[in-house]
């Protein structure tokens, strides 16, 4: 849950400089930070690599000239390939993570724009001769539609979050639906798509009631299609991991490399072998673990996107447009991170 | 057939956590996994490289100082170039694979959007004075058009899948066509394009019958043009492999590199030569084989895209919009993969 | 001329599996394939590098300790830079090639879409009271316009191909023009642009005759603008090579590197020097030659795009929409390649 | 604050050649430039690395054969990985910086276009029969709207700058608002979004007053949606740093690498150890520091974007369209940089 | 000024094969080409590096064992980093250069399209009952507007070129303006933007005179907005160099690397030291200089874009659409290059 200062700055609350959550830690602290680091998850591999180094060193001490010396050559050959390949994997993972963040940025754009457009383009464009009562009742209807459209956008962003995290959205989205819609919700298979269809229904009604021109309705339609793209693209990232064979190949090569490395270093390094082996293992396994973490950016681990914070922010922004009296609180950071 | 949990999550069925198909295997299991690995397809090359290593070692044992020692230098020089080049090839292949997945994501967006738009924008916008009967019959006609448009989208996604896999789509798409259209199908050369033309025909009819405004018809037209782009882009990926000379150059260099490698290592590695040679051969040939597999992502091998699952999902989603009683079942994963 | 199976699959003809043109050659055959390989064009350089190796080896045999030994160090230093740079050049060239292919994919999308839109949106939207004769004559006029628009698209794709290959398109495009247009063709400077202007003329006419609504005409206009983009982007790739200094720098460094390489290897490799030098020269010059070939993808050499096949396919697809009786044959592959 | 000559050339003022602010410094000067260099911020690390080198050298002088010699091998292995990884980090940071610049370019496009469109498409399209007075008063109203729309765009660009720099925009934007709007400003949470909503309000009014056609209003709407995208994308870059673990991993590896490097060099370099260590530390820490600086390009340090200059330029350009008499001065460069 | 054959092929003049300006030089000539090479600009650095090599060699001859031997290790460590970093810089510069070319391609697309659209969509759509004289005078007015719009596009392309090259455009653009506009030109700050505003004025007039439908005017508006994007994006590339610290870091490291390199090579290379040092310096400085040249692609040096040729071509194409009798000549290449 990255996105420090997110709730604050997206929702526009001004924070004094000293409240900034993540100060840059100094170099010394950096060394011993664990939260946000990948060290905890790869500690076993690092320790094991170090142990291998120690064993090789011991074996060489007690049985000199018995331990096979692989020399550095094969490790140089393999190391370059492994590095280039790790680099490729990292770029691919990072791009997925960044694309996911862009998609949620697009979600913010679209929901804000729909809320704005609902206020701009929905007004009574119907018949000329009308009684005052009729006029008033149509005004009320327009407000209901504007409100409904805005609420459906909010509901969509919650539904999308739950869909991507595999949790049940029904409690979070119920308040944005009518009673009838809530009942239908039970049988619905794909809830975010259900919200888009409801939005479509609203458009159809305001068009038929002449509350919006056909040309201006295109503005709303374009944003709804864009929400549909956000939805499908998030599903794509969530459902289609990198080809599994990449992980296999990388994992296997990294393991074999790091665990046999002492055999290439012990003659020149002697007692330093375990340390250096552990250091190199740290780099390789660290990069590998990071790549794997960023691959699916919609979870709830330390580097995943702050979906809860962002959908809460959308809710606040959109309710504000409707001049609601009670706004929910922005989500507070849990030390360095936002959920 | 990647795309784990795809059917489940795209079609929106909630799965309990324990049903997740691909659990992350532990490090030990990872080592001996074959399904999803490229090892089986490159085993001959690895074994051959190992054998070469063994032969060189034997030759050196029996005829000392007779085997030419190439030293590590040429392999370092070549190794860097080969690695960078393999990296380039991999990126290119991966990008094709990922673009293909994006295109199918776009297909999902477009078909869902067309189904939604058909419900939103198609309503009777015709003459004012009309008998009740006429009105009713026009209502029926509108429903028929909405249904037809939705079915044609479903049919298009099946036709596209068969087109890309080189199989016969006639059985799968017949149910989405009228009798007359089925008859014409026999003579049609390009079936997915035929579906797009039929969709165009529907638009033309509802426009002329005043069931949709000219402006709103643009929404549908834009999605159909987008389907046309998906079609042509999938064909591009399927029909235009990477320049053949890349494969040639990579293959040849990798073969020569791996099979002569023992001559560069045997003096320093001795009896370990076959093992290290096999390991390095595994990395190079593995990357090379993976790149080749991802190049055409529309096949039915382990890392190809789950086209069947996705087109089934589209079918379910779209039929649901039409409130069909009988929906087909989502496709079940075959152990780790979806077809 | 890549794009195997292209004619077959784009035009939608089903081919039995055994007719697939390019089977994957086995590893042994791969080694000795020449067609599609870059070997023939770089053979002189490889042989020359090998000869240099042989000369250095001989010189060292006859005049021991007289040949300057450069050691491997400078070649390691230069080799990394050269590899990274070759990698950059390759990516840039490949992206040009792939962009060119995408542009022709866009051409297919646009022409197919215009043909479909001509059938969908062009119908009599004019006056209400009309005699039967007038109605009939207007129907005929509409068909003429639909046909003309479709033919002009076909003609554009032929004209574009000839423009990019520097050949004379007049014979190929004459049949898509009226007599008067054919006459004007002689004085026209930019033929593909001329076709776009003719298309514009058609739009203008059907708008003024009320055969299409102003809104629907936007669909056609967007596709014509897209054709204009395809045209200008193809010209960009064709007319603007990579900065010439890249070629110079790469060429010079590669030549100096490969021809002095024996001086760095002969002490450790002895009689193997010529072979290893030739092998490394093969990799460097091979990559370099490939990059140069892909730079301008519109030629007629082995890796250039199958422009003839694709424009023929467009012609077939479009004529089919018009229900023409006589369709031209798809282009047959010349062994592995399509022209 | 890059963007030399920006104010001059964007606002179109012609500058004589000798006024060009940043002349290319000659090679000698380049060496000792500090402003714009990252040296000051990484001096401690460089000095510390040099000291380590000196200590190792001294230790080896006084206690020969006591200092553990790590040899160059582990540093070659680590160095390649570290370099590739630094390369990846740099690309990612640079792309964020460049994307941010593109977004502000888009801001310039959108604000200029809105100003132009306001002059082009807003004119009296209302009723036919009107008194001269009514006509005149409507003309005045139109001018007020054109002016207001242009001012709101200017205000938006100032508000965005302050939002991204975390400063208070109220003084800078007050002059573009009406009294009533200024009062509301106090309670507004998200000021740039507030401006977009005000722009929406203007569109709604001119539509209802028939000062613009529904179709032409789409032009303005598209630009406002684009402003909304610029806003959300800038917030994305500002609020979502690169995954923190990347910084951790890079920092730690670079520190360990540089501070243990003397142990790998002292046997071959002797008294030169401190110098070479410091040089290599300069490269690694320099790249690392640069990457970190470019990561958030909206600050006010030496390489951040010239937001003040650009928003002043927008103000000048837009006020000029309104034929204002008093234009603010372009911002002057502070030696080499623009704020 | 690249873009060989540009004038010829864009303006569509057919050139016989032997007139092709830049033939591929043979390998021998390539070696000694200076024009288009970066050698002249980096000759001092290469010579200096060679001299350093010679000095080190001499010093070692006369004072054996006195010259500090740095060994190859630090140069291998630094070399990899420097190469990767140079690669990054090159990609970034090349992408700027290529984006600039794409922008001018877009300029060609937009101007051609506006000229075509002016012919297609501007016709008398006004009142029904009109005298023959009135009709005729309106026809004349339409032709004047079509001509004016086309001329303003031509003028814009000239104004953009001058803006980017920092030269005075007034002579070149005067002929496309009316007397009144020429007078205003003196006070205008941003001339290309002035042209866009004039284009907007034309649209406004033809809309109010009912010479174009509101829907069709959107086609023109979209192209003008696209011209606005081209303008702002060219300014972005021109005004925002790569972060200056990159140049500093690269320059410094390259200088230190190349000038100390002899100390790492002289023991193994002896008298060959100067030559090898110069060769490596050539590669590093060459890449560095090329990157710097491509960074701002709008100048008039050898690798800059052929802006003059392209804007002349636009002029020819657009005047031809207007059936002008006297067309300017295409620009002739100055040996290998177009200005």
């Amino acid at each position: 849950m990255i996105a420090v200062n997110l709730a604050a700055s997206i929702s526009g609350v001004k924070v004094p400089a000293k409240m900034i959550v993540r100060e840059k830690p100094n170099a010394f602290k950096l060394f011993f930070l664990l939260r946000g680091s990948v060290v905890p998850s790869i500690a076993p591999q690092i320790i094991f690599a170090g142990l291998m180094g120690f064993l090789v060193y011991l074996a060489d001490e007690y049985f000199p000239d018995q331990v096979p010396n692989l020399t550095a050559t094969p490790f140089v050959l393999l190391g370059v390939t492994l590095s280039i390949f790790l680099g490729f994997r990292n770029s691919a993972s990072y791009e997925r993570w960044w694309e996911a963040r862009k998609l949620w940025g697009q979600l913010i754009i679209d929901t804000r724009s729909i809320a704005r457009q609902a206020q701009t383009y929905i007004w009574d464009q119907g018949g000329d001769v009308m009684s005052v009562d009729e006029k008033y009742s149509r005004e009320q209807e327009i407000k209901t539609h504007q409100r409904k459209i805005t609420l459906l956008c909010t509901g969509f962003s919650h539904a999308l979050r739950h869909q991507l995290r595999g949790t049940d959205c029904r409690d979070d989205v119920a308040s944005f639906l009518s009673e009838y819609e809530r009942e239908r919700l039970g049988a619905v298979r794909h809830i975010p798509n259900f919200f888009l269809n409801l939005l479509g229904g609203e458009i159809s009604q305001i068009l038929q009631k002449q509350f919006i021109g056909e040309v201006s309705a295109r503005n709303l339609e374009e944003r709804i299609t864009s929400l549909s793209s956000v939805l499908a693209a998030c599903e794509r990232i969530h459902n289609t991991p990198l080809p599994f064979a990449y992980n296999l190949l990388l994992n296997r090569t990294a393991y074999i490399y790091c665990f046999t490395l002492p055999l290439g270093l012990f003659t020149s390094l002697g007692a330093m072998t375990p340390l250096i082996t552990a250091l190199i293992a740290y780099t390789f396994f660290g990069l590998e673990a990071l790549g794997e973490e960023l691959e699916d950016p919609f979870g709830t681990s330390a580097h995943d996107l702050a979906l809860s914070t962002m959908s809460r922010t959308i809710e606040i922004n959109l309710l504000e447009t409707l001049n609601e009296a009670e706004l929910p609180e922005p989500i507070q950071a849990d030390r360095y991170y936002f959920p």
Side-chain angles (χ1 to χ4, degrees), chain A:
Chain A
M1 289 142 253
I2 291 234
V4 172
N5 281 333
L6 194 72
S9 46
I10 285 187
S11 65
V13 185
K14 292 288 152 309
V15 282
K18 63 184 165 187
M19 268 184 67
I20 283 167
V21 178
R22 167 140 55 103
E23 302 160 64
K24 188 166 164 165
N26 63 36
F28 186 77
K29 265 195 197 158
L30 259 182
F31 252 79
F32 296 98
L33 259 177
L34 284 185
R35 182 87 168 95
S37 159
V38 290
V39 169
S41 66
I42 57 167
Q45 284 96 318
I46 300 176
I47 293 168
F48 191 77
L51 271 180
M52 290 292 291
F54 189 60
L55 283 178
V56 167
Y57 165 69
L58 278 189
D60 185 52
E61 289 289 293
Y62 288 94
F63 313 96
D65 298 323
Q66 298 291 313
V67 182
N69 174 13
L70 297 186
T71 75
T73 310
F75 296 100
V76 170
L77 293 180
L78 257 182
V80 174
T81 323
L82 194 53
S83 300
I84 289 174
F85 194 34
L86 267 169
F88 158 70
R89 202 334 187 93
N90 246 307
S91 301
S93 290
Y94 169 72
E95 272 161 34
R96 292 167 64 97
W97 179 85
W98 194 226
E99 191 196 350
R101 179 61 187 83
K102 280 185 179 167
L103 290 169
W104 273 75
Q106 188 62 42
L107 180 66
I108 292 174
I109 296 167
D110 290 333
T111 50
R112 276 184 195 163
S113 295
I114 291 178
R116 176 175 50 73
Q117 290 171 347
Q119 303 293 329
T120 305
Y121 298 106
I122 305 184
W123 39 276
D124 200 342
Q125 300 166 27
D128 305 81
V129 192
M130 229 185 276
S131 71
V132 177
D133 275 13
E134 209 177 346
K135 210 158 194 169
Y136 177 79
S137 99
R138 281 174 71 90
E139 284 302 318
Q140 291 310 307
E141 242 180 304
I142 283 173
K143 285 216 176 93
T144 314
H145 281 299
Q146 287 174 330
R147 188 181 156 79
K148 181 73 188 180
I149 287 171
T150 310
L151 289 183
L152 286 175
C153 286
T154 318
F156 175 79
S157 78
H158 285 295
L160 178 58
R161 184 184 82 241
H162 284 289
Q163 172 92 349
L164 295 172
R165 292 202 163 152
T167 47
D168 192 335
C169 71
R170 283 180 173 78
D171 290 343
D172 271 18
V173 304
S175 60
F176 307 112
L177 296 174
S178 72
E179 190 128 341
Y180 170 65
E181 288 157 358
R182 265 199 294 277
E183 266 166 39
R184 280 177 63 193
L185 200 62
V188 164
R189 285 191 161 189
H190 195 300
I191 297 181
N193 203 30
F194 176 64
F195 272 87
L196 295 182
N197 286 336
L198 290 180
L199 272 168
E202 289 294 311
I203 307 295
S204 191
Q205 284 185 45
I206 56 175
L207 265 173
Q208 299 192 32
K209 292 179 185 167
Q210 287 183 284
F211 291 158
I212 194 168
E214 203 182 351
V215 172
S216 302
R218 289 255 295 153
N219 294 324
L220 285 163
E221 175 60 33
E222 277 167 8
R223 296 275 67 73
I224 298 175
T225 304
S226 173
L227 286 181
S228 184
S229 302
V230 168
L231 168 60
C234 284
E235 287 178 331
R236 164 169 51 79
I237 292 176
H238 183 55
N239 292 324
T240 313
L242 284 178
F244 188 47
Y246 276 125
N247 290 9
L248 274 186
L249 195 60
L250 256 181
N251 250 302
R252 284 177 184 166
T253 312
Y255 274 92
I256 298 179
Y257 182 92
C258 291
F259 295 165
T260 59
L261 186 57
L263 297 171
L265 300 176
F266 74 98
T267 45
S268 52
L269 297 184
M272 301 291 283
T273 309
L275 251 127
I276 299 294
T277 307
L279 175 62
I280 292 177
Y282 166 62
T283 317
F284 280 126
F285 288 121
L287 277 174
E288 212 256 354
L290 241 172
E292 235 165 82
E293 253 196 52
L294 295 183
E295 205 186 305
D296 180 9
F298 298 122
T300 52
S301 71
H303 296 96
D304 288 332
L305 296 171
L307 302 192
S308 300
T309 311
M310 286 194 274
S311 45
R312 175 71 59 91
T313 304
I314 290 174
E315 188 173 346
I316 297 175
N317 282 353
L318 266 53
L319 290 181
E320 206 188 3
T321 341
L322 294 175
N323 296 313
E324 296 278 313
E326 269 179 68
L327 299 181
E329 282 304 298
I331 288 182
Q332 297 303 316
D334 161 26
R335 289 185 57 213
Y336 292 112
Y337 296 98
F338 283 92

